Amino acid sequence: VAGPLVAYFILRTAPTGYDAIFVVSFLFALIGLGILVLFVQNRSEEHRSNLAATWRGALRLLGRNDFRTLVIVGSLFGLFTIADASIYVIFQNRTSFNTAYFPLLPVGTSISYLVLAVPLGHVADRVGRSRTMVITVLIYSIFTGLSGLAQNWWELALLQGLAGIGIGGEWAVGAALVAETWPVRTRARA
């Protein structure tokens, strides 16, 4: 949620400051990298060699039906997430939407995702992860598609907020599904 808000404030102070957004994003990435380098401890060499990833191990995982299905579904879902940016551009071209507010468009999606991820994880524990995954992907897909038809900013915000419900459920449930299908001895790296 912080990224779009920072971009919004940059564009409010410098309406054509798109290059400043990229510089600020790059600086935040460098800070994150610095934190990882300085504070994340390396595992001992002997422990790391026992868990070394191999091409043979990766191919063996893809040979399992349950894991292959997750890879295919996850990849397709990844393609759908590209649609968000396209919807925002279509909306901006169809309306007189001020480009300074453009970074705020994903905020509603992010907020509903953050608020609902944990509750939807609990729902998945009660009604089943696969069923919840299918329902949340459908919710995301339907409301993302409807977002392309939005005529004003509040319709787009509402539809993208509802799409965020699907994203929250997909991420919460998807992580659990991957953990269930990943081999136990290498699960910590999944």
Side-chain angles (χ1 to χ4, degrees):
V1 174
L5 293 175
V6 169
Y8 166 73
F9 287 115
I10 290 172
L11 288 178
R12 289 297 292 168
T13 57
T16 60
Y18 294 103
D19 53 346
I21 293 172
F22 290 111
V23 170
V24 170
S25 296
F26 177 73
L27 292 175
F28 273 102
L30 283 179
I31 292 169
L33 181 62
I35 290 170
L36 287 174
V37 168
L38 293 174
F39 298 106
V40 175
Q41 298 177 0
N42 288 329
R43 296 177 184 214
S44 67
E45 287 298 321
E46 68 182 49
H47 182 69
R48 193 176 3 197
S49 65
N50 292 338
L51 296 176
T54 65
W55 284 105
R56 180 177 288 159
L59 292 174
R60 200 170 33 246
L61 270 175
L62 285 173
R64 293 178 42 195
N65 274 341
D66 55 351
F67 187 77
R68 189 173 50 248
T69 301
L70 277 175
V71 169
I72 292 168
V73 170
S75 298
L76 289 173
F77 190 73
L79 290 174
F80 284 113
T81 60
I82 296 169
D84 289 349
S86 300
I87 287 169
Y88 300 148
V89 171
I90 290 168
F91 180 75
Q92 195 270 329
N93 287 335
R94 267 199 347 227
T95 65
S96 59
F97 191 73
N98 185 346
T99 56
Y101 296 106
F102 200 75
L104 293 178
L105 292 175
V107 172
T109 307
S110 299
I111 289 172
S112 60
Y113 157 61
L114 289 171
V115 170
L116 295 169
V118 172
L120 287 168
H122 290 295
V123 168
D125 289 339
R126 294 189 191 278
V127 300
R129 290 181 180 94
S130 296
R131 180 178 296 159
T132 305
M133 181 73 148
V134 168
I135 291 168
T136 57
V137 168
L138 283 172
I139 289 170
Y140 171 75
S141 301
I142 290 167
F143 288 109
T144 297
L146 289 174
S147 295
L149 303 174
Q151 298 298 311
N152 51 50
W153 69 267
W154 65 266
E155 285 179 7
L156 183 63
L158 175 67
L159 292 167
Q160 284 291 282
L162 293 170
I165 295 169
I167 295 171
E170 187 277 331
W171 277 100
V173 177
L177 284 171
V178 168
E180 289 174 353
T181 59
W182 205 270
V184 175
R185 69 180 189 86
T186 58
R187 194 170 283 169
R189 296 178 305 164

